[in-house]
Amino acid sequence: MKKKTLVVFIGIMLLTWYSLYGGLCGGTYAAETTDNKSQLTVPWDEFKRLLRLDEDKDEIILSWEIFQKLLAQTGTETTPKYTLKEGNVVLTRAEFKRLVDQMKPPARPTVSPPPFDYLITKVIYTGKMSKNNTAFTGTFTVHVLKKDDYLKVPLLHQSVALEDVQVGGKPALVVSEGGYHNVVLSKPGEYVVQAAFSQKSSIEKGPHRIDLSIQRTPITLLRLEMPLKNIEVEIPQAQQVLTSEKGGTTFVSATVAPGNTISVQWREKVSVAKKIPPKLYSEIYHLVSIEEDALKVTSDINYTILHSEVNSVRVAIPDDVTVLRVSGEGVGEWQEVEQQGQRLLLIPFTYGKKGGVTVSVASEKPLSDNGLPNAFEGIRVLDTVRETGFVGIELNTSAEVKVTEKEGLEEVAVQKLPPALFNKSVKPLIFGFKYLKHPYNIVLDVQKHEKIAVPIAAIDSASVVTLFTEDGKVVHRLVYHIRNSSKQFLEIQLPQEADVWSVTVGNEPVESSINAEGKFLVPLIRSRSVDNRLNTFPVEVIYCLVEGRFGSFGLRESQLPVVDLLISQLMWSVYLPNDYSFIYFSSTLEKEEIIRGLNILAGAQRQYDEKAMDEVLESKKEVSDQMREESLKKVYKGNDYRSKFRNVPMQQEQLSSQVDAEIGFSGRLVDLAQQVAPTGAPRSAGGTGILPIQIQVPTGGQVYRFAKTIIKPEDPLVFTVTYTQSWLAKLIKWLIFLLIIWILYVKRATVGKAWRWSQGKVNVMTTWYRKHEKTIEQAAQSRITPFALFGLFIVFLFISKMLTLLTLFLFLVSVGYQISHYRKRRPRTQSRSKKRTKGRRTAK
């Protein structure tokens, strides 16, 4: 009974503490919350006393929910030892006390500093003008936000004459620094600061204006009394200006936009004279664009309107011209009317126009279908004193244009046309004209020619990797890097028995289809344009063919599918089984150097080690070029991993990209093997672009490469290889070796004769050398010999390559001999010279 009472008591106290723990601090007090509920805050030591934690009790029983809250309040990850009893947590007194001691009291809420030290939210400038100056009183509403500090609040610029400053009706502390008069404030709160100052002005002398430097504030109001009458007041910075006149004094009230100055200007009112009729002058810039089926004209009419405002203008348009649109600032709803047998265009303005006004009229005129010349007359502006203009003609088609007639125009260089007209054309202007008055006429002869279709898409580069397995599977991975402007599908002529595993466009799976002709259709995206050039995007197709197994020897052929786009450059890598020797390759593509010709005895092999490649991929670190080359030498065993092509120029970057494609081929097949069919799709449904089953394909073998540039759709891409098993190739080599030995044995008499004949020739050459040895030594020692050989080298350079090389060899030998002979002869010459010098001294 005693134990149950203790459990109930502890549970009630803990629940009470958790409902109130947010206000823990140093003492016991009641705090009113924002929701009008009072909370009792208990000190931590008092809370432990209430729970009697300092007394000796055998065990503490808590509910699981309270136990979890206690753990959360401690902020530790270590859970004390406990036992469960009837769904409750049982702790020893020591563990419970240790848990409670680790509880953290809630942190006090932090108060963020104010965003500003002070704010000036409103200023009212009240002024009264006298004969030579204007007395102002500025009423500033200042909010001080910073606590426990003195602030200098700038009020007025130092250029004004300050008379008095008061805060709340009492004199204030003022300091002048930083180019401003500053008031000193010390406590947070709202202040009303009044500053009396004067500004120099003159009623009688000009200029009639007051320039006041002010502080930028959200609300700025101006009240000004001016001892003048019958005046007009302008304040450029004000959004609203109200004036009233009373007793010979003008009262001005203005609402000023935020800024640093206020300029008040005034002048005497001018009596309104009799309204003068407006005068209109116009200059028109005609841009004539020759399109496929029409002349499209943009006419910018630049009006100069004098004296009075006009509410509309009129333009006469030819009968065969269609007006498309009329635009301009303040242009209303335009309409076409016919007056006195003439088509007119009425252009209203939404408000009266005066000064410079521009109206743009877009129109078009169909081109003649029968090849007759096309006349351009242009629109004519009515109700103007004078109309002048310029005409620029641009060609937006492949037609040929000639000016057969012109009347009332002067031809000018297109560079001398007004910049507004010259820069408006998209294509270069081909003709330019100037006219001074109507009427004028241009006759254009537009000759259309047959167009030549250009590709709307092309394959910038293609990378193909093909894997042959010993049991007859052939896996092709085709990657085309395409530039596409508007082509919808890429058409690929796949074999009928091809099993498509994956199709991606821009690294995203797509749904492909087959048309009525049996061609495989891959939907394309549009290339992105960067710096006026279309970028490429990859199209990847992976498919599999099943052919016969590799036998002991035979032929194996592979052909790439035909695509309907021009391919700029293609590289094809082929994986072939390791246990075979590939004797001869024939192909419509360029073969790399190591597989040119027969490979019966050479045994050219480049083997791909998949395990070594896995080690390289596991590192996944950026390495230097030298480290990359060392890694690739481990991956590609045998011949150099780099390829050399005799007739196809391949950059090192392209070869490296193909090596990366070979390495990525293995990883791509692993990715396909790990893909899973979409949820809800039947396992038999082969969603295009997704492999619904797992396939494991080994990617080891011998790797050989082919290349070709500028491939048309009709060009076949085929290679054929003659192969044998490795043991059979070795057997053939031994048989050839034994055959040579047997032939030498059978023909030993003939071989003996040949040996004796060659020995006799050597003896003859030896005898000839001994006979002419002195002559040869003299020629070799002669200093003229190197020059003679060099001259022969120059002569033979244009005659025979073999003689050129032979002469070069003899020349180098002669030069080396001369240098060696000079070094041997030099000590003797020095010794003789010393003896001669010594003999002369003795004679003296």
Side-chain angles (χ1 to χ4, degrees):
M1 185 68 182
K2 184 178 180 180
K3 186 180 293 185
K4 291 184 178 179
T5 303
L6 178 62
V7 171
V8 172
F9 174 75
I10 290 175
I12 292 173
M13 294 305 297
L14 285 173
L15 290 173
T16 303
W17 181 82
Y18 269 99
S19 64
L20 304 175
Y21 80 95
L24 284 178
C25 63
T28 305
Y29 61 92
E32 185 70 20
T33 61
T34 56
D35 55 357
N36 297 325
K37 294 181 181 181
S38 297
Q39 293 182 348
L40 181 63
T41 304
V42 181
W44 179 244
D45 295 337
E46 185 70 17
F47 173 73
K48 291 195 293 182
R49 187 184 64 78
L50 289 175
L51 292 182
R52 301 177 184 178
L53 297 180
D54 297 330
E55 301 177 5
D56 287 336
K57 300 295 180 181
D58 295 335
E59 59 185 19
I60 305 296
I61 301 176
L62 305 173
S63 68
W64 179 259
E65 180 181 359
I66 294 177
F67 179 62
Q68 293 298 322
K69 290 182 178 180
L70 284 173
L71 289 178
Q73 184 65 19
T74 60
T76 61
E77 298 180 356
T78 305
T79 304
K81 296 180 181 180
Y82 65 91
T83 59
L84 292 176
K85 183 178 180 181
E86 298 179 357
N88 295 323
V89 177
V90 180
L91 296 171
T92 64
R93 178 193 170 281
E95 291 292 343
F96 180 74
K97 188 174 184 302
R98 187 180 300 109
L99 180 63
V100 173
D101 289 340
Q102 292 176 349
M103 293 174 62
K104 301 177 182 178
R108 290 177 175 269
T110 58
V111 179
S112 59
F116 306 98
D117 293 344
Y118 65 90
L119 291 173
I120 304 177
T121 57
K122 182 178 180 180
V123 182
I124 302 175
Y125 296 98
T126 304
K128 187 173 183 180
M129 183 182 295
S130 60
K131 184 176 181 181
N132 295 319
N133 65 0
T134 303
F136 283 98
T137 299
T139 303
F140 299 81
T141 302
V142 182
H143 296 266
V144 177
L145 305 179
K146 191 174 183 180
K147 298 180 180 180
D148 303 328
D149 198 2
Y150 286 93
L151 292 179
K152 301 176 200 175
V153 180
L155 300 179
L156 297 167
H157 199 270
Q158 269 184 326
S159 60
V160 301
L162 197 62
E163 296 178 3
D164 187 25
V165 178
Q166 294 184 353
V167 176
K170 298 180 180 180
L173 296 176
V174 182
V175 61
S176 296
E177 65 178 26
Y180 285 91
H181 298 299
N182 301 268
V183 63
V184 180
L185 302 175
S186 61
K187 297 180 180 179
E190 179 179 339
Y191 295 87
V192 176
V193 182
Q194 289 184 327
F197 61 95
S198 61
Q199 183 77 18
K200 187 176 181 180
S201 62
S202 177
I203 294 178
E204 298 176 354
K205 298 180 181 180
H208 295 159
R209 63 183 294 169
I210 301 175
D211 292 323
L212 186 63
S213 297
I214 63 172
Q215 282 281 23
R216 180 184 292 270
T217 54
I219 302 174
T220 305
L221 304 177
L222 177 66
R223 307 285 185 264
L224 184 60
E225 295 183 21
M226 306 175 68
L228 298 169
K229 61 181 180 179
N230 196 26
I231 61 172
E232 292 181 354
V233 179
E234 293 183 2
I235 304 176
Q237 297 83 7
Q239 301 295 325
Q240 182 181 17
V241 179
L242 300 177
T243 60
S244 62
E245 188 176 326
K246 185 178 180 181
T249 301
T250 300
F251 297 89
V252 181
S253 177
T255 302
V256 182
N260 298 109
T261 58
I262 298 177
S263 297
V264 182
Q265 305 172 15
W266 68 91
R267 64 175 179 271
E268 293 184 3
K269 289 183 179 180
V270 180
S271 58
V272 180
K274 185 178 180 180
K275 192 173 183 180
I276 302 175
K279 283 188 177 181
L280 279 72
Y281 296 84
S282 64
E283 186 177 55
I284 308 179
Y285 300 154
H286 300 280
L287 177 61
V288 182
S289 300
I290 303 175
E291 307 288 345
E292 291 288 344
D293 55 350
L295 297 178
K296 292 190 176 181
V297 184
T298 301
S299 303
D300 293 335
I301 309 173
N302 300 304
Y303 286 100
T304 300
I305 304 173
L306 305 178
H307 304 316
S308 302
E309 296 179 348
V310 297
N311 295 317
S312 63
V313 291
R314 298 189 304 160
V315 177
I317 53 177
D319 294 335
D320 55 354
V321 171
T322 302
V323 177
L324 302 177
R325 64 181 179 275
V326 179
S327 59
E329 183 181 355
V331 173
E333 189 71 23
W334 57 275
Q335 58 182 335
E336 288 188 34
V337 297
E338 187 171 347
Q339 294 180 0
Q340 299 177 356
Q342 187 179 23
R343 294 177 62 200
L344 299 180
L345 184 65
L346 302 182
I347 306 174
F349 298 125
T350 56
Y351 57 91
K353 291 280 190 176
K354 186 179 178 182
V357 179
T358 300
V359 177
S360 181
V361 179
S363 60
E364 71 174 11
K365 175 183 177 180
L367 291 176
S368 59
D369 296 332
N370 51 9
L372 295 177
N374 299 270
F376 171 72
E377 300 174 357
I379 61 177
R380 181 165 58 92
V381 180
L382 304 179
D383 307 322
T384 59
V385 177
R386 182 175 66 247
E387 174 192 338
T388 60
F390 295 87
V391 180
I393 300 177
E394 67 173 350
L395 185 62
N396 288 335
T397 181
S398 59
E400 183 182 0
V401 179
K402 297 179 181 179
V403 178
T404 58
E405 297 179 18
K406 65 178 187 295
E407 181 181 355
L409 296 112
E410 176 187 353
E411 187 169 359
V412 297
V414 295
Q415 293 82 3
K416 294 185 178 181
L417 292 173
L421 176 59
F422 182 81
N423 297 328
K424 193 171 185 178
S425 63
V426 178
K427 298 290 184 67
L429 296 176
I430 57 176
F431 298 109
F433 300 94
K434 177 183 178 180
Y435 69 92
L436 300 177
K437 62 179 181 179
H438 269 280
Y440 64 87
N441 186 29
I442 306 174
V443 179
L444 301 174
D445 183 11
V446 181
Q447 298 291 333
K448 297 181 180 180
H449 303 292
E450 184 179 356
K451 294 184 178 180
I452 299 176
V454 295
I456 59 176
I459 298 175
D460 192 64
S461 64
S463 174
V464 182
V465 180
T466 300
L467 170 68
F468 286 85
T469 63
E470 192 172 357
D471 60 352
K473 305 292 190 307
V474 183
V475 180
H476 294 275
R477 183 193 181 205
L478 315 174
V479 179
Y480 302 107
H481 295 275
I482 298 177
R483 300 184 194 273
N484 179 37
S485 60
S486 58
K487 187 173 175 60
Q488 188 175 4
F489 292 100
L490 173 66
E491 297 182 6
I492 306 176
Q493 187 66 58
L494 292 178
Q496 293 184 355
E497 63 275 12
D499 183 13
V500 179
W501 287 0
S502 174
V503 181
T504 62
V505 176
N507 300 319
E508 295 293 335
V510 297
E511 294 184 359
S512 53
S513 58
I514 298 177
N515 62 10
E517 300 175 359
K519 293 183 179 180
F520 190 71
L521 303 181
V522 179
L524 299 178
I525 59 177
R526 190 179 184 277
S527 296
R528 294 182 179 180
S529 179
V530 178
D531 297 332
N532 295 325
R533 178 177 177 156
L534 295 178
N535 273 355
T536 62
F537 59 88
V539 174
E540 180 195 67
V541 178
I542 300 178
Y543 68 94
C544 177
L545 296 172
V546 179
E547 300 178 356
R549 293 179 59 89
F550 276 77
S552 299
F553 60 91
L555 294 174
R556 187 53 57 111
E557 181 179 280
S558 183
Q559 181 174 0
L560 294 183
V562 177
V563 296
D564 63 338
L565 292 178
L566 178 70
I567 303 176
S568 299
Q569 195 168 69
L570 179 141
M571 284 200 71
W572 187 4
S573 299
V574 180
Y575 286 84
L576 294 168
N578 277 328
D579 296 334
Y580 291 85
S581 293
F582 300 95
I583 300 172
Y584 179 72
F585 290 86
S586 63
S587 177
T588 58
L589 293 85
E590 175 78 8
K591 299 178 289 186
E592 62 176 325
E593 285 293 327
I594 65 172
I595 56 175
R596 295 180 70 92
L598 290 172
N599 296 313
I600 298 177
L601 300 177
Q605 286 189 351
R606 182 195 293 120
Q607 293 185 352
Y608 177 84
D609 190 343
E610 188 174 8
K611 293 183 179 180
M613 191 66 252
D614 292 339
E615 295 177 359
V616 174
L617 293 176
E618 284 178 2
S619 62
K620 293 184 178 179
K621 296 180 180 178
E622 293 186 2
V623 297
S624 62
D625 294 341
Q626 184 176 359
M627 294 179 64
R628 170 184 166 85
E629 186 172 351
E630 294 297 328
S631 300
L632 292 176
K633 286 180 179 179
K634 296 178 182 178
V635 175
Y636 292 91
K637 297 181 179 179
N639 277 277
D640 189 3
Y641 73 91
R642 292 166 294 195
S643 296
K644 295 181 181 178
F645 295 92
R646 186 176 299 179
N647 299 317
V648 177
M650 284 290 174
Q651 301 294 331
Q652 185 61 37
E653 295 179 358
Q654 296 167 324
L655 296 175
S656 298
S657 177
Q658 185 65 16
V659 171
D660 292 337
E662 295 168 5
I663 296 172
F665 178 71
S666 175
R668 189 70 182 97
L669 293 183
V670 172
D671 293 341
L672 290 178
Q674 294 175 351
Q675 289 183 8
V676 182
T679 304
R683 298 294 294 178
S684 60
T688 305
I690 299 175
L691 189 65
I693 58 175
Q694 293 189 355
I695 297 177
Q696 296 292 342
V697 181
T699 53
Q702 304 178 44
V703 181
Y704 303 105
R705 303 186 185 106
F706 306 86
K708 192 172 184 178
T709 57
I710 309 177
I711 306 166
K712 295 183 178 180
E714 60 269 17
D715 294 342
L717 301 173
V718 185
F719 93 89
T720 305
V721 61
T722 303
Y723 69 91
T724 64
Q725 287 190 343
S726 297
W727 66 266
L728 188 57
K730 294 179 182 178
L731 178 61
I732 293 173
K733 291 179 182 179
W734 280 106
L735 290 176
I736 293 174
F737 178 70
L738 293 175
L739 180 61
I740 293 173
I741 293 176
W742 181 76
I743 292 173
L744 292 175
Y745 177 75
V746 172
K747 299 293 185 179
R748 58 186 180 275
T750 305
V751 172
K753 290 180 181 180
W755 173 257
R756 289 189 293 272
W757 178 84
S758 60
Q759 194 174 22
K761 291 296 182 181
V762 172
N763 293 333
V764 171
M765 293 179 63
T766 304
T767 304
W768 182 86
Y769 173 77
R770 291 174 179 173
K771 182 179 180 181
H772 301 87
E773 184 176 2
K774 293 183 178 180
T775 305
I776 295 173
E777 288 181 359
Q778 291 177 358
Q781 294 175 1
S782 176
R783 298 179 181 179
I784 303 176
T785 302
F787 297 98
L789 291 174
F790 183 76
L792 292 174
F793 168 74
I794 298 298
V795 174
F796 291 150
L797 192 63
F798 303 97
I799 299 175
S800 172
K801 185 176 181 180
M802 184 178 294
L803 292 176
T804 301
L805 294 175
L806 178 61
T807 309
L808 179 61
F809 173 74
L810 294 175
F811 168 73
L812 296 176
V813 171
S814 177
V815 171
Y817 179 81
Q818 291 291 338
I819 295 173
S820 176
H821 185 67
Y822 171 75
R823 288 181 177 179
K824 291 179 180 179
R825 191 172 54 187
R826 184 177 180 183
R828 299 176 185 174
T829 305
Q830 292 178 349
S831 177
R832 291 175 184 174
S833 177
K834 289 180 180 179
K835 288 180 180 180
R836 291 175 183 174
T837 305
K838 188 176 181 181
R840 291 174 184 173
R841 290 178 180 175
T842 303
K844 289 180 180 180

